[in-house]
Amino acid sequence: MTSRTGLSRGWGALCGLLAAALAMGIAQLIAGLSVPAASPVIDVGSVAINHTPLPVKVWATSTFGTNDKTVLLTGVFVVVFLYAMLVGVLAARRLALGYAGLALFACLGIAAAVTRHGASPGYALPTVIGALAGAFALSRLIGAAQVMTSATAVERGPGSGGPTRAPQDLRAPRDLRAPGALPPIVFEEPSRWPDDPDEPEQPGASDLADQPDDADELRAPDLPRGDRGPDGTGRGLGTGPGVGEPVRRSGEGVRGPREGGRRPGGASRVPARAGAAREGAGGPVVTTSGDRRSFLVTAGVTVAAAAIGEVAGRSFATRKNVSAAQAAVRFPRAAVPAPPLPAGVNLPVPGITPFITPNGQFYRVDTALIVPQVDPTSWQLRIHGMVAREITMSFDQLLHRPLIEDYITLCCVSNPVSGSYVGNAKWLGASLSSLIRAAGPLRGAEQLFCTSMDGFTSGVPLATVLDAGRDSLVAVAMNGAALPTEHGFPARLVVPGLYGYVSACKWVVDIEVTTWAGAAAYWYQNGWAQQAPIKTESRIDVPASGSSVKAGKVSVAGVAWAQHKGIEAVEVRIDSGPWHEATLAAVPDLDTWRQWVWEWDATDVGAHTIEARATDKTGYTQTSLQAPEAPNGASGYPVSQITVSA
């Protein structure tokens, strides 16, 4: 089915897809040159994150892990390109409809851009320029496709399965060469009408080589010359379009008045040249190959421009990263260094999680689709709200405060039972509690409402931060190096004993001392608990669930954590049998996880179920009650299903 313009829906969808690719590429280029975070895909993706229902977020995190952002961005691209195909179909019917669809989507992108945290009107620039480029490309592509498909229809003619419209609505005459029928009349406009009846006639149009010389046709000059029109052109009144112009049957060559060939009894005929233009009122007939080439060139230029814009935009955005600034940071010696790691913090069990998690393997769960690149020379931390004295501090001033070094385990509330969203590192930073005390919190203050550079917010209980025995930090280094950008460079919060969504604000720039009623943090608004102490948990690392082990001595080992309470014991049982106490590794303090191992004499061949549970130093034992991650952390025994073979 074709549209009013003669362009099919398929061609329209293709044109819309190509135009969208160009729009996205140009927008990425402009964002890379200006503000990388203003990329339309990032803007729309951020809105999608903010409006995704809680069960969907939990499912995405547990299903895709740290790849959830990649999946989200892929979904955004799919939706954009599907919409672009719809816009192309509309444009194929009427270009104005395509422009309207493109404008609607551009308005949504602009709204997503300017409503982001810290956005300026300039955030809309990439979307606007990208939309204009897409509109221009859509117009050119639709036009080129229309010309190509129209020319194809003319070339294919009747019986070829395609449309049979000819230029200027000329149609091939009905074949009347049946026995006893009159020969068809083919009108041909001569270069001039002779005034002298005896003057020799001018050569006629060329014919196809395979057509006999005695083709029984009558041409306009063979008719009485009195049929000339009043304007002397040879067209009679009321002849309609095409009369006086050459008309050909499907498959015949184009005939021109001086193209060679002869009148009956004249010179021999010469085949018309392929692609030759017809002179006279009809104008040139363009061949399909040239029109197809024109569309392919237009499409190729569009794709190339889209690719160049995307690659160049990402390259320019990368140049804005702060890797050089990270490498240049020199940290002063810690005023309170971390205690030396005791012997035996790492048990000699193959496959067990190491005590220190390398920076590159530390879990990452946040809402940032693009990692903020924060220049430490321009970074500032503001502490205000219900305080006696407002404090604004630069990165250099932060480094000149007494720094504390400590081993602290962080855990995400999205971590399922036996999950991997937990890690342990040596952190270096300034005391958060000393900064808050210096500001002087007022009576009635309950939380620290913390804001990230990208607008994420978290709420930390004030009483927890002010706990004298807890090293709450504004951290600047991780495992002896500057914070990785994805983990908060140049500064982030680290508060032992609380899930990360309330205590570990990365790229922190603002701390407001307020009440719980005074401000609602991001995840609390999305259905998670307002206060979230970490639950006492354990995990089985080896043998991994689904694995097979040989009968004999089998090391069952893993880690357990209860930050700021400490792990007192870990127990293991097989097939719901009696509990067996595991051997614990050494730890430097209460704020880290702890390795454990139990040697199992696996003599029974077959399938077995291994379970574990931890007890913290307050006497609380990990519950068997299964609970999901939302709203305040998962619970239940970790389980490993294994097979013992002979």
Side-chain angles (χ1 to χ4, degrees), residues 143-486:
Q146 286 176 343
V147 172
M148 180 185 67
T149 54
S150 297
T152 302
V154 173
E155 184 180 79
R156 292 163 67 184
S160 61
T164 60
R165 284 182 56 195
Q168 298 186 0
D169 230 7
L170 294 177
R171 308 193 188 280
R174 181 169 55 94
D175 189 1
L176 300 177
R177 299 196 186 196
L182 293 174
I185 299 176
V186 179
F187 291 92
E188 180 179 280
E189 183 177 15
S191 58
R192 64 185 180 87
W193 288 90
D195 293 329
D196 187 356
D198 297 328
E199 182 177 351
E201 296 177 352
Q202 299 298 326
S206 64
D207 208 335
L208 293 176
D210 60 351
Q211 202 166 24
D213 290 346
D214 58 348
D216 50 350
E217 296 179 344
L218 296 179
R219 290 179 171 80
D222 296 323
L223 296 176
R225 291 180 176 84
D227 289 348
R228 285 179 294 175
D231 58 354
T233 63
R235 297 182 178 89
L237 293 175
T239 56
V243 177
E245 296 180 12
V247 180
R248 56 187 173 89
R249 292 186 301 275
S250 174
E252 290 185 339
V254 179
R255 298 179 178 84
R258 300 185 183 274
E259 194 68 274
R262 63 178 175 84
R263 318 285 311 164
S268 61
R269 304 181 183 212
V270 178
R273 296 190 307 271
R278 182 184 62 229
E279 297 178 7
V285 177
V286 183
T287 60
T288 306
S289 59
D291 296 320
R292 183 180 295 113
R293 187 180 304 112
S294 175
F295 176 79
L296 292 177
V297 168
T298 303
V301 170
T302 301
V303 172
I308 292 173
E310 182 71 22
V311 173
R314 292 184 180 275
S315 176
F316 287 131
T318 302
R319 292 181 184 179
K320 297 179 182 294
N321 67 32
V322 292
S323 56
Q326 283 177 297
V329 174
R330 296 294 181 267
F331 298 104
R333 186 182 299 274
V336 182
L341 288 178
V345 293
N346 284 299
L347 297 175
V349 179
I352 195 172
T353 302
F355 179 74
I356 297 293
T357 307
N359 290 357
Q361 299 176 19
F362 209 94
Y363 78 92
R364 178 196 167 197
V365 177
D366 53 51
T367 61
L369 290 178
I370 181 171
V371 176
Q373 303 290 321
V374 185
D375 188 346
T377 61
S378 61
W379 177 88
Q380 286 187 328
L381 175 63
R382 180 186 177 214
I383 302 174
H384 62 105
M386 297 176 63
V387 295
R389 295 167 297 279
E390 183 174 316
I391 295 176
T392 300
M393 180 174 298
S394 68
F395 186 69
D396 186 65
Q397 290 173 323
L398 181 66
L399 294 184
H400 281 83
R401 293 186 66 85
L403 299 182
I404 299 173
E405 198 175 50
D406 198 5
Y407 295 97
I408 299 173
T409 296
L410 299 184
C411 183
C412 180
V413 71
S414 298
N415 192 45
V417 174
S418 300
S420 59
Y421 299 153
V422 57
N424 185 59
K426 182 173 70 173
W427 305 92
L428 174 70
S431 170
L432 176 60
S433 62
S434 66
L435 285 171
I436 299 302
R437 292 183 190 280
L442 302 179
R443 183 184 300 274
E446 297 174 305
Q447 72 159 325
L448 304 182
F449 186 74
C450 308
T451 303
S452 165
M453 174 65 76
D454 67 343
F456 172 81
T457 57
S458 64
V460 190
L462 178 61
T464 302
V465 171
L466 297 180
D467 183 353
R470 195 184 309 249
D471 286 337
S472 301
L473 303 175
V474 181
V476 294
M478 179 180 183
N479 290 331
L483 290 171
T485 52
E486 62 270 20

Side-chain angles (χ1 to χ4, degrees), residues 35 37-38 43 46 50 111-124 451-457 509:
V35 183
D43 294 333
S46 298
N50 294 338
V114 299
T115 55
R116 293 187 63 189
H117 174 79
S120 65
Y123 272 53
T451 303
S452 165
M453 174 65 76
D454 67 343
F456 172 81
T457 57
V509 293

Side-chain angles (χ1 to χ4, degrees), residues 578-625:
W579 290 100
H580 305 274
E581 188 167 350
T583 300
L584 299 178
V587 287
D589 55 41
L590 301 176
D591 292 330
T592 69
W593 59 15
R594 194 169 193 176
Q595 294 181 350
W596 56 267
V597 62
W598 175 66
E599 298 297 336
W600 172 34
D601 189 9
T603 57
D604 294 336
V605 175
H608 296 278
T609 299
I610 306 174
E611 294 175 291
R613 67 181 183 184
T615 300
D616 62 40
K617 290 186 177 296
T618 68
Y620 174 82
T621 299
Q622 180 178 356
T623 180
S624 61
L625 180 64

Side-chain angles (χ1 to χ4, degrees), residues 544-578:
S545 188
S547 64
S548 178
V549 298
K550 292 288 186 181
K553 287 292 185 179
V554 175
S555 296
V556 179
V559 290
W561 57 91
Q563 291 90 314
H564 208 62
K565 292 176 287 187
I567 293 296
E568 180 67 25
V570 173
E571 298 168 286
V572 181
R573 70 178 179 182
I574 308 297
D575 300 329
S576 300

